Amino acid sequence: MKKLYHLCAALAFSCLIINVASAQEDVIDKKVDSVMAKMTLAEKIGQMNQYNGDWEATGPVTKDVGNKLDEIRQGRVGAVLNIMGTNHVKTFQDAAMQSRLKIPLLFGQDVIHGYRITFPIPLAEACSWDVDMIEKSERVAATEASASGINWTFSPMVDIARDPRWGRVMEGAGEDPYLGSLIAAARVRGFQGRGLGNTDAVMACAKHFAAYGAAIGGRDYNSVDMSLHTLWQYYLPPFKAAADAGVATFMNSFNDLNGTPATASIYLQREVLKRDWNFKGFVVSDWGSIGEMINHGYAKDNYEAAQQAVSAGNDMDMESRSYINNLEKLVKDQKVSFSLIDDAVARILRKKFEMGLFDDPYRFINPQREKSSLNLPASQDVARDMAHKSIVLLKNDKQLLPLSDNLKTVALIGPLVKAKKELKGFWSLDIDPNENIPSVMDALQKQHPQTQFLFSYGCNIDDQSKAGFADAVATAKKAGVVVMVMGEAPDMTGEAKSKSNIHLPGVQEELIKEIVATGKPVVVIMMAGRPMVFNWTADNVPSILYAWWLGSQGGNAIADVLYGAYNPSGKLPITFPRTEGQIPIYYNHLNTGRPASGDKDVFYKSAYIDLPNSPQYAFGHGLSYTTFQYIDDDTYYTKTTLKDNDVLNISFTLKNTGNYAGEETVQLYIRDMVSQPLRPVKELKDFKKVFLQPGESRRVTFSVNRDMLMFYDDNLKLITQPGDFQVMIGSASDDIRIKRAFELTN
Ligand code: BGC
């Protein structure tokens, strides 16, 4: 009875919440209607137009810029981007307040990994598999950005990417749809905080819709050719997760998908997003992507491009000027209906109301708040912790790490030992020109004043000169341990930064060989925006840390990890190939008719004769200074069945068998043994992060349910099929420790 009472109370409460939310929506809809009733067609079209500010450009700037402030005064602009800082934002909002209807502007910005404080690049953060931490990281970014006048971020990028040649692999969460979906939702929650309307919340934007990450050959902006099944099964889930998390906006993408530019895709924008997913926010084009449909050969001119984009559900034009210059005529020519325009404008105005901008257009413009919100010590602490969690220990064969405090002399060698601003990586906002970011060397010297740190540059990042080798070797010989800091330059990954050769650049690997030849113990730290290829190092260097671009606190975080103040816990969210020829290589592939049983099988598994089948480092890989034992002591479990809404509990004991406290990310994969269409050899379906003291054990229980077994059939309907399944629990996709089988019955 008591239970029933609680149930009714809970139901009544959720009905109340739904009613309040829909009442609020009604109120906003009425306000939108009343503003729209006063708007001319030209003013409506103005709301659908977004310009780059004059400060910074993140794409090719449209010529004939004219006077943007004047255009804003004329009501010809609804949003701007790349205008930062309350002072600057105010100038633009002042102009909007001089327009006839005083409709406030939106201020968009690529807040991709932090605002004033730079956080690790998104791919690095994804290595944490820590969604709460990632949410926290975006909370800091949103708090800082909103204090600087920004109310809209073009983030998160939720594109699945299986190709590390693609420069934008750094902006996403890697190759897995399950992990990618959790992270997408966490980022949306982080940016939008307690909800739009709070002054510390910024609108998030799920991008790039869709399949941009699957550009053929990893070449940025390239075409995508993909079955709808693959699209739905692997590429759309993070977008759906972002939509479900309440993301305010979507951005479409530069690529064409199966012959239609995403910007003109009725299927993606009108049918999937707005109809099937009931998305109430608005869609912005990517930078100039409407105009680029002329280059695609899809539209004859901007007039035609504007018609195609607006019909497809693209509500706002970023920088191509196709809408502002053509929509009025398109309406007059009856090529575009009033209702299409009204739908787009209502979506945009609704967000402006939700953010409270009509009540106070200056609510994000408070210089006092800006001063007191940026670069706070507590926020730097979050950035440092996020950086800790983003580092992946790829290898620690001789337990060389952590370094001992007793070491008298350590040689620091390599082109990135003294990297400071470079630690921020691509897509960082250089807001404070005087920002002093500690390098790895700075941090080590500060933390270990009793140790002598010797330095030698060794070589540049990307040229063929070996002039510095001799000094590097001599320096190494003077030290007890050598730490080499190697990698890419920060502008080698990012937008328009695809590479055909993703080997560690220049002569860096040759330098590593020379230093290893001295016989000194060597630790290599790799900094990069993408998975790189470094096979000799992987085979011959005992300890390797992958440190990506870790942001403002990168130097400190690396120093913490080197000496064990933080025990690394990162796990790769993307497969590291042995060489470019293996790409695309990803863990959740199909079995094929000739699966390989090992690395050397000939005539099996579409392998290459000159390479093993396996990658260099598999999805989910990442070590710790301690060791974890998976004790398979679930005596109650025999092969069993799962039916209806049953749950299958699988337990085991995880024990920290090493000498350090540490965190393991226990991963659960499932395989559907027989299915139509085919299912992958394994798919991540759950994971748990477990922190254990040395010697401590904990019972870990996973619950498998029917939802985890669903997949898209040939008609793109989510289904389950009865039959045999395998559950695999382990430390990485290639390090499975516990297996179970069960049958799903109808
Ligand atoms: C990128 C987007 C970005 C936009 C605005 C484009 O070139 O593809 O991701 O948000 O520029 O800077």
Side-chain angles (χ1 to χ4, degrees):
M1 192 59 202
K2 211 168 166 191
K3 261 191 186 156
L4 191 67
Y5 171 79
H6 282 305
L7 189 71
C8 292
L11 265 174
F13 186 64
S14 43
C15 288
L16 187 71
I17 291 180
I18 293 169
N19 281 339
V20 170
S22 71
Q24 274 168 351
E25 271 176 29
D26 286 352
V27 172
I28 288 191
D29 282 348
K30 285 205 180 93
K31 289 182 178 172
V32 169
D33 289 347
S34 76
V35 174
M36 284 182 55
K38 294 183 205 139
M39 293 171 85
T40 62
L41 177 61
E43 283 166 333
K44 287 179 180 172
I45 292 166
Q47 287 303 305
M48 299 166 70
N49 184 33
Q50 181 179 38
Y51 283 160
N52 180 49
D54 295 309
W55 188 330
E56 196 181 333
T58 42
V61 178
T62 321
K63 304 221 172 54
D64 94 17
V65 281
N67 185 335
K68 287 176 191 164
L69 287 175
D70 264 357
E71 288 198 56
I72 292 168
R73 285 184 200 103
Q74 289 159 30
R76 285 166 57 80
V77 184
V80 287
L81 76 151
N82 289 330
I83 291 174
M84 293 177 285
T86 49
N87 255 344
H88 206 53
V89 168
K90 184 170 182 304
T91 311
F92 281 72
Q93 199 67 298
D94 281 346
M97 290 307 108
Q98 290 156 28
S99 67
R100 189 178 77 89
L101 292 173
K102 300 188 177 15
I103 299 178
L105 288 171
L106 294 173
F107 293 88
Q109 186 66 45
D110 290 286
V111 181
I112 306 294
H113 51 117
Y115 181 73
R116 167 65 181 77
I117 298 172
T118 307
F119 278 71
I121 58 169
L123 186 60
E125 289 193 345
C127 295
S128 70
W129 295 44
D130 188 334
V131 288
D132 293 339
M133 192 63 205
I134 290 173
E135 180 176 338
K136 223 166 155 184
S137 147
E138 301 303 23
R139 195 81 289 280
V140 172
T143 307
E144 289 198 341
S146 60
S148 271
I150 307 298
N151 47 37
W152 181 17
T153 172
F154 304 123
S155 184
M157 185 191 98
V158 303
D159 296 308
I160 293 293
R162 295 168 165 178
D163 194 333
R165 292 171 301 179
W166 187 49
R168 302 193 77 170
V169 71
M170 59 148 293
E171 280 177 68
E175 72 190 35
D176 184 65
Y178 175 73
L179 182 61
S181 298
L182 293 180
I183 292 177
R187 291 195 189 283
V188 171
R189 288 196 302 272
F191 283 127
Q192 299 188 173
R194 291 167 296 148
L196 303 186
N198 291 288
T199 47
D200 63 354
V202 297
M203 292 198 298
C205 180
K207 72 186 189 186
H208 306 83
F209 200 54
Y212 182 42
I216 295 171
R219 295 197 289 275
D220 211 358
Y221 315 126
N222 205 8
S223 299
V224 175
D225 192 16
M226 175 183 288
S227 73
L228 286 184
H229 185 265
T230 297
L231 179 74
W232 278 86
Q233 191 68 47
Y234 304 103
Y235 286 80
L236 291 188
F239 287 102
K240 177 70 165 62
D244 289 345
V247 72
T249 65
F250 262 60
M251 183 186 289
N252 57 35
S253 54
F254 288 125
N255 58 286
D256 71 273
L257 175 62
N258 303 332
T260 302
T263 306
S265 174
I266 293 173
Y267 176 66
L268 286 174
Q269 298 168 110
R270 286 238 180 260
E271 296 177 4
V272 174
L273 180 62
K274 291 180 176 174
R275 183 193 66 198
D276 299 346
W277 295 355
N278 197 23
F279 175 67
K280 296 274 188 254
F282 69 88
V283 179
V284 63
S285 76
D286 203 346
W287 180 298
S289 70
I290 301 179
E292 287 178 13
M293 292 203 290
I294 303 167
N295 290 341
H296 276 284
Y298 201 79
K300 195 169 66 182
D301 49 25
N302 291 86
Y303 176 84
E304 219 174 88
Q307 192 227 344
Q308 290 165 349
V310 78
S311 306
N314 179 129
D315 303 304
M316 187 180 279
D317 174 3
M318 182 192 285
E319 259 299 320
S320 93
R321 297 175 183 241
S322 305
Y323 281 4
I324 196 72
N325 291 337
N326 297 285
L327 275 185
E328 210 167 341
K329 180 156 178 4
L330 279 161
V331 172
K332 286 193 180 126
D333 294 348
Q334 297 188 348
K335 295 262 174 57
V336 166
S337 65
F338 278 103
S339 65
L340 278 187
I341 306 281
D342 282 352
D343 176 55
V345 176
R347 285 169 181 272
I348 295 163
L349 294 185
R350 203 177 289 137
K351 292 299 157 201
K352 293 186 177 184
F353 271 111
E354 283 175 24
M355 279 194 295
L357 287 169
F358 276 96
D359 295 332
D360 178 7
Y362 294 95
R363 62 199 312 252
F364 292 93
I365 309 173
N366 176 344
Q368 225 50 48
R369 180 179 153 219
E370 181 173 36
K371 227 168 139 198
S372 60
S373 305
L374 299 188
N375 202 16
L376 300 181
S379 305
Q380 289 283 9
D381 289 348
V382 179
R384 186 161 175 168
D385 205 21
M386 188 74 251
H388 290 147
K389 290 172 190 268
S390 304
I391 297 172
V392 183
L393 178 64
L394 292 179
K395 200 177 166 193
N396 198 21
D397 274 1
K398 299 180 184 156
Q399 274 71 53
L400 189 55
L401 290 175
L403 299 179
S404 155
D405 264 335
N406 301 329
L407 279 167
K408 290 204 168 55
T409 314
V410 174
L412 301 177
I413 294 175
L416 290 160
V417 169
K418 293 190 173 180
K420 286 174 169 288
K421 287 220 167 177
E422 294 87 338
L423 293 171
K424 292 168 76 151
F426 199 81
W427 279 124
S428 55
L429 300 163
D430 211 5
I431 290 159
D432 177 4
N434 302 316
E435 184 181 17
N436 185 15
I437 294 179
S439 66
V440 173
M441 181 147 178
D442 295 336
L444 285 169
Q445 280 174 328
K446 184 155 180 222
Q447 289 185 20
H448 302 276
Q450 76 291 355
T451 306
Q452 192 187 11
F453 290 99
L454 309 173
F455 168 69
S456 180
Y457 198 63
C459 63
N460 289 321
I461 289 175
D462 194 19
D463 65 25
Q464 297 304 309
S465 169
K466 296 185 184 172
F469 276 30
D471 182 66
V473 168
T475 307
K477 284 184 177 160
K478 288 185 212 147
V481 166
V482 184
V483 175
M484 303 187 73
V485 190
M486 320 299 276
E488 292 187 313
D491 62 357
M492 286 179 174
T493 38
E495 185 175 349
K497 302 283 180 290
S498 291
K499 289 184 84 192
S500 65
N501 175 349
I502 58 167
H503 280 64
L504 182 61
V507 290
Q508 293 185 70
E509 200 152 41
E510 288 173 60
L511 177 65
I512 296 173
K513 284 182 198 170
E514 300 244 348
I515 301 299
V516 169
T518 62
K520 294 287 177 180
V522 177
V523 176
V524 169
I525 296 167
M526 295 287 186
M527 293 182 178
R530 59 158 60 80
M532 292 185 298
V533 170
F534 43 88
N535 295 328
W536 192 91
T537 306
D539 291 343
N540 296 285
V541 172
S543 293
I544 306 172
L545 285 166
Y546 215 75
W548 309 100
W549 297 116
L550 292 175
S552 307
Q553 286 293 332
N556 287 331
I558 289 171
D560 295 340
V561 164
L562 277 174
Y563 278 85
Y566 183 86
N567 181 358
S569 58
K571 299 277 188 183
L572 298 177
I574 187 165
T575 306
F576 275 44
R578 290 177 188 275
T579 192
E580 296 83 0
Q582 278 187 320
I583 299 170
I585 182 167
Y586 46 94
Y587 86 96
N588 49 355
H589 58 82
L590 301 181
N591 203 33
T592 80
R594 293 188 173 193
S597 56
D599 257 346
K600 298 246 159 58
D601 287 355
V602 179
F603 292 122
Y604 284 92
K605 181 62 214 328
S606 52
Y608 301 105
I609 57 171
D610 56 349
L611 278 176
N613 291 317
S614 59
Q616 184 62 266
Y617 297 109
F619 175 85
H621 173 76
L623 305 173
S624 165
Y625 294 154
T626 195
T627 44
F628 296 100
Q629 190 187 356
Y630 288 58
I631 305 167
D632 193 355
D633 54 1
D634 191 351
T635 48
Y636 300 105
Y637 191 100
T638 49
K639 180 179 161 173
T640 186
T641 53
L642 177 68
K643 61 176 187 291
D644 303 327
N645 295 325
D646 281 4
V647 165
L648 194 66
N649 286 327
I650 303 175
S651 303
F652 69 98
T653 300
L654 184 74
K655 183 168 185 196
N656 181 343
T657 46
N659 298 323
Y660 301 90
E663 188 175 52
E664 170 71 319
T665 302
V666 180
Q667 302 158 38
L668 178 131
Y669 297 89
I670 293 185
R671 176 170 179 185
D672 189 341
M673 301 306 289
V674 178
S675 64
Q676 297 86 33
L678 296 164
R679 310 288 302 118
V681 292
K682 53 173 80 85
E683 284 180 296
L684 183 73
K685 291 292 174 182
D686 200 358
F687 59 87
K688 287 189 197 303
K689 297 182 76 67
V690 186
F691 185 87
L692 296 174
Q693 294 297 332
E696 191 185 352
S697 297
R698 178 124 10 111
R699 196 106 192 110
V700 179
T701 303
F702 283 105
S703 301
V704 175
N705 58 41
R706 187 178 280 265
D707 281 357
M708 293 156 93
L709 311 179
M710 297 197 107
F711 65 101
Y712 287 99
D713 69 7
D714 288 332
N715 301 315
L716 305 178
K717 266 184 47 198
L718 263 184
I719 58 156
T720 51
Q721 279 173 358
D724 288 339
F725 288 81
Q726 195 171 48
V727 179
M728 292 155 272
I729 297 172
S731 181
S733 64
D734 66 346
D735 184 6
I736 299 300
R737 311 280 183 91
I738 292 173
K739 283 189 183 177
R740 293 278 190 274
F742 69 90
E743 189 187 346
L744 178 71
T745 58
N746 262 331

